[in-house]
Amino acid sequence: MTTNQTKYLFQDTAIDLDTRVKDLVSRLTEDEKIESMLQYQPAVDRLGVAAYKHGTEAAHGLAWLGEATSFPQPVGLACTWDADLMKEIGSVIGDEARVFYKRNPAVNGLTLWAPTVDMERDPRWGRNEEAYGEDPELTAELTTALVKGIQGDHPKYYKAVATLKHFLANNNEVDRGSGSSSIDPRNMREYYLKAFEKPFKEGGAQSMMTAYNSINGTPALLHPYVNEIVRDEWGMDGFVVSDAGDVMGIKNDHKYYDSTHRVP
């Protein structure tokens, strides 16, 4: 689309992305901004913005959406110890995400909720098949490769966006929406954070999902590490999403705010 064919500044692909985003946001009403925070984002017809489905599960492929490649669960893929293979798998997932998006972008988006980087410390967790085990280095190597495959190597455009999850210390199902994981500083740095560091710094993951649980008393979605470590220290410049309805869970489950407090 050339400048002569655009009605709004944000539609001009010749302009840098930050300028386009700021222009678009400046034109949205408050209600439109709120609606755009949802997983199913409605169209903004007056601005020519189409509907979009934000987030698609892709832990071991997209076959749950229809005809696509089904890979082994991540706990099985971890047994390969093969980062090159993981990158190839990620590339296939990214390619097939593009196919589903082309068919129906309002239902199948390009933001993929994968890989799961959680450390699997408890075999009773109901989702142990979804991650890569309890070793942070192995998990970091394999998820870094998967992220690179999903996002591709084009200098400007991502094939799809990988969303690392669930930051941080998410390894239980009972009271997962209200419980708090207590972690000492050494375990935090050398174990739990270590698994996430490489897929951000070397893999370039462009998104992250926070966990339902609190971390040392602070809900993960509000934890200062999201900005202090993930953004400022590791340089992630993409976007952060909550796990399902956890924005409401901050009040309803964690009771972190009362009903009169306005979340900043």
Side-chain angles (χ1 to χ4, degrees):
M1 182 179 290
T2 66
T3 304
N4 291 334
Q5 296 172 314
T6 61
K7 182 177 180 180
Y8 302 107
L9 188 66
F10 71 83
Q11 295 172 321
D12 190 348
T13 57
I15 297 175
D16 69 275
L17 183 60
D18 286 346
T19 300
R20 294 172 64 197
V21 170
K22 289 176 181 177
D23 179 70
L24 172 58
V25 172
S26 72
R27 298 178 189 278
L28 294 173
T29 66
E30 185 172 286
D31 286 344
E32 289 168 344
K33 290 177 183 177
I34 293 171
E35 290 294 314
S36 295
M37 293 175 67
L38 304 176
Q39 183 180 5
Y40 287 88
Q41 301 170 351
V44 184
D45 294 327
R46 67 183 185 85
L47 297 177
V49 177
Y52 182 74
K53 160 75 177 303
H54 188 90
T56 297
E57 298 287 357
H60 60 110
L62 297 164
W64 69 282
L65 294 177
E67 186 176 356
T69 308
S70 181
F71 297 99
Q73 290 279 8
V75 71
L77 293 174
C79 297
T80 67
W81 294 68
D82 192 333
D84 292 336
L85 175 63
M86 292 300 296
K87 186 175 181 180
E88 290 182 31
I89 291 172
S91 183
V92 171
I93 293 173
D95 288 343
E96 293 182 348
R98 278 279 168 182
V99 173
F100 282 108
Y101 174 75
K102 184 69 173 179
R103 290 174 180 171
N104 193 344
V107 173
N108 301 308
L110 290 172
T111 305
L112 307 185
W113 287 340
T116 298
V117 192
D118 297 315
M119 292 287 87
E120 299 184 317
R121 301 297 302 275
D122 190 339
R124 297 170 299 177
W125 188 36
R127 297 169 68 171
N128 277 322
E129 80 284 351
E130 190 179 323
Y132 299 82
E134 62 178 349
D135 184 272
E137 182 61 24
L138 177 62
T139 295
E141 288 288 341
L142 297 183
T143 56
T144 295
L146 190 77
V147 167
K148 289 180 178 179
I150 287 173
Q151 297 190 161
D153 55 8
H154 192 279
K156 182 176 181 180
Y157 298 105
Y158 294 107
K159 186 185 299 186
V161 168
T163 300
L164 305 186
K165 60 180 189 177
H166 310 82
F167 190 86
L168 188 67
N170 173 60
N171 190 205
N172 65 284
E173 289 298 293
V174 177
D175 297 326
R176 66 176 183 170
S178 58
S180 180
S181 300
S182 299
I183 308 175
D184 63 83
R186 181 174 179 178
N187 266 322
M188 182 73 79
R189 276 290 181 179
E190 296 183 3
Y191 191 73
Y192 290 98
L193 287 171
K194 187 57 65 175
F196 279 88
E197 182 177 4
K198 186 170 288 185
F200 277 123
K201 292 178 68 173
E202 296 184 18
Q206 289 297 300
S207 181
M208 182 181 80
M209 179 187 291
T210 52
Y212 278 120
N213 54 274
S214 288
I215 305 162
N216 295 338
T218 302
L221 184 59
L222 302 176
H223 203 281
Y225 282 178
V226 172
N227 287 321
E228 293 174 2
I229 293 180
V230 179
R231 290 196 182 280
D232 297 341
E233 188 174 323
W234 296 344
M236 194 275 271
D237 59 358
F239 53 91
V240 176
V241 298
S242 73
D243 195 345
D246 197 44
V247 171
M248 295 177 290
I250 294 170
K251 173 190 174 295
N252 296 336
D253 301 319
H254 290 287
K255 313 297 183 184
Y256 199 72
Y257 293 116
D258 61 34
S259 60
T260 62
H261 191 109
R262 180 166 182 165
V263 180

